[in-house]
Amino acid sequence: WSGQKESINVEGYWIPRGEFEPSEPEGYIMTDSVRRNLKDLTRVISLGRLPVLLQGETSVGKTSLIRYLAQLTVNKCVRVNNHEHTDLQEYVGSYAADPLTGKLAFREGVLVEAMRKGHWLILDELNLASSDVLEALNRLLDDNRELFIAETQETVRAHPRFLLFATQNPPGG
């Protein structure tokens, strides 16, 4: 992650840039506390490709801070909102009929697509994710940054620009 063409300086830290031209996001209010949080987040991201968990009360701006930084560094950011009905298929994918041929084909989920294309992925309300989802994420959270897709028997390795973020409210909150 060296070189100005490959990275963008945010709050004194170099963040790998995405594929588009950078632009200052509009309508985001930069208060002192938001700037401190942004600096903390960029510091963590600049250290490497570590997964990041942001924990805080409802509506304090956890997700919007990540989206702001992604837009600033022209990285595509996608999100999964976890709830009691979110299942592993949404993350990894499932077999479905191809609309053109009618044949059964594996359609990759949001996690696999983000891993392949180097997108940033936000797992909102991670504490509401099912144990199946959490178990599937275990291998991805290791240093090897891999995900095994049982349905296709394929191991997907994360693109170097792929970043995983999770947000949640404090326990018991």
Side-chain angles (χ1 to χ4, degrees):
W1 292 358
S2 60
Q4 292 184 355
K5 292 183 181 191
E6 298 159 7
S7 299
I8 296 175
N9 190 316
V10 180
E11 296 297 317
Y13 297 96
W14 292 99
I15 305 299
R17 67 167 285 143
E19 302 171 314
F20 310 102
E21 284 302 312
S23 64
E24 182 72 30
E26 294 180 19
Y28 196 80
I29 300 170
M30 189 59 67
T31 64
D32 288 341
S33 64
V34 169
R35 187 169 301 284
R36 280 192 306 273
N37 290 336
L38 179 63
K39 190 168 188 166
D40 288 344
L41 183 59
T42 57
R43 182 184 314 122
V44 170
I45 294 171
S46 72
L47 293 173
R49 297 168 296 182
L50 304 169
V52 177
L53 173 64
L54 297 181
Q55 182 171 286
E57 298 299 330
T58 303
S59 300
V60 296
K62 301 176 294 285
T63 301
S64 63
L65 182 66
I66 298 165
R67 286 181 178 226
Y68 171 80
L69 184 56
Q71 187 178 353
L72 199 62
T73 59
V74 292
N75 282 284
K76 182 170 180 180
C77 187
V78 291
R79 170 181 170 262
V80 174
N81 189 28
N82 288 288
H83 48 78
E84 66 267 11
H85 301 299
T86 307
D87 62 11
L88 189 57
Q89 292 179 344
E90 188 174 339
Y91 278 87
V92 178
S94 62
Y95 281 98
D98 183 288
L100 299 176
T101 65
K103 293 182 180 179
L104 207 54
F106 189 78
R107 188 168 299 143
E108 294 181 343
V110 66
L111 172 60
V112 175
E113 184 178 345
M115 286 178 67
R116 288 191 193 278
K117 295 181 178 179
H119 299 160
W120 291 12
L121 177 61
I122 303 171
L123 310 179
D124 264 337
E125 306 293 344
L126 183 65
N127 50 322
L128 299 180
S130 71
S131 56
D132 287 350
V133 168
L134 296 175
E135 190 176 310
L137 291 174
N138 270 342
R139 191 166 176 197
L140 178 59
L141 299 175
D142 289 342
D143 289 341
N144 61 16
R145 294 171 35 98
E146 295 177 346
L147 178 71
F148 180 71
I149 304 173
E151 291 83 354
T152 62
Q153 296 293 300
E154 180 185 6
T155 298
V156 178
R157 286 181 175 68
H159 185 286
R161 225 177 22 246
F162 170 75
L163 282 177
L164 183 65
F165 299 88
T167 69
Q168 67 181 29
N169 299 327

